[in-house]
Amino acid sequence: MPPSMNERILVVEDEAGIARILQLELEHEGYTVGVADDGRKGYEMASTGEWDLVLLDVMLPEMSGIEVLRLIRQAGNPVPIILLTARDTVPDKVSGFEHGANDYITKPFAMEELLARVRNILRIFQQYPKEAEGSDLIKLGDLSIELRSRKVYRKDVLIELTPREFELLVYLVENRNEEKSREDILSEVWGYDFIGETNLVDVYIRYLRQKLDKGYRHKLIHTVRGVGYMIKEPDA
Ligand code: CA
């Protein structure tokens, strides 16, 4: 799916070479790109609300990427954010998700993978109309999903999901009562760079079951033998 011309991406990156390559590649894909070279400028630019996505480096002068992320979310700005983290900095990843990053990618990254993540996150967010009232909530049986705040409840119990678990759940719920193959799920939720890694789907389905179905009599997630998975309404 080619990106539409008006999708705007903010790159917050102090290393000029990386910022330049990202800008060129993203513009080549048809996005409009802005660049900020320190955390403070990044926060100011991100706060204008003009962006469809922010690529945010963690190690930045003036203000760290984590601090920028925290302030953006504190201000109630739901713009999707992909963190660029240094290799193996697990604490960065953890605090990134705690502060509301939607995804992260580890440096050094393959450009194709980064572009696939960008497309994936934009696609997921485009599914949520930004303004229409009442469109924020998806319900299925006793499951409620608030799309913009990314909160999930079963009955009244808040269920904490990682961004990927959330995206997997939304995909299955939006395609409720349809059998989905592991390959379909992979390409829709992870992006084409992950094709072949169907065991990822099994792993994440297991996580989701632990969080959503464990202890409930009515299971939402069903295994379709020889195919993949499906989410069903309790009485369907
Ligand atoms: Ca940096």
Side-chain angles (χ1 to χ4, degrees), residues 12-15 18 37 57-61 84 107:
V12 187
E13 169 60 83
D14 58 311
E15 286 166 73
I18 296 178
D37 63 3
D57 187 29
V58 170
M59 299 288 283
L60 289 169
L84 307 177
K107 288 176 164 181

Side-chain angles (χ1 to χ4, degrees), residues 166-225:
F166 179 83
E167 285 148 21
L168 173 60
L169 176 64
V170 168
Y171 172 73
L172 289 173
V173 170
E174 286 184 335
N175 295 284
R176 62 185 67 180
N177 306 323
E178 284 177 39
E179 301 178 351
K180 288 291 173 191
S181 69
R182 291 176 177 80
E183 288 76 13
D184 284 347
I185 295 170
L186 250 193
S187 66
E188 289 300 318
V189 177
W190 274 264
Y192 71 97
D193 274 7
F194 290 84
I195 293 304
E197 300 183 45
T198 46
N199 59 325
L200 267 178
V201 175
D202 301 319
V203 169
Y204 275 80
I205 288 283
R206 199 157 67 233
Y207 294 157
L208 270 188
R209 279 185 160 143
Q210 279 287 330
K211 294 181 176 182
L212 284 179
D213 276 343
K214 201 177 170 195
Y216 289 90
R217 205 158 69 83
H218 295 289
K219 309 295 184 201
L220 299 170
I221 301 170
H222 299 264
T223 301
V224 185
R225 210 171 289 278

Side-chain angles (χ1 to χ4, degrees), residues 42-104:
Y43 173 64
E44 283 166 11
M45 287 176 75
S47 301
T48 62
E50 294 171 18
W51 308 97
D52 296 296
L53 178 79
V54 178
L55 286 174
L56 179 60
D57 187 29
V58 170
M59 299 288 283
L60 289 169
E62 301 294 323
M63 200 192 278
S64 82
I66 297 292
E67 184 66 5
V68 173
L69 171 65
R70 199 180 61 75
L71 289 173
I72 288 173
R73 292 298 185 242
Q74 204 173 58
N77 183 346
V79 63
I81 295 175
I82 300 178
L83 285 181
L84 307 177
T85 71
R87 181 189 284 276
D88 296 335
T89 48
V90 173
D92 281 352
K93 290 173 186 170
V94 171
S95 60
F97 282 130
E98 276 172 5
H99 290 300
N102 302 90
D103 203 353
Y104 60 84

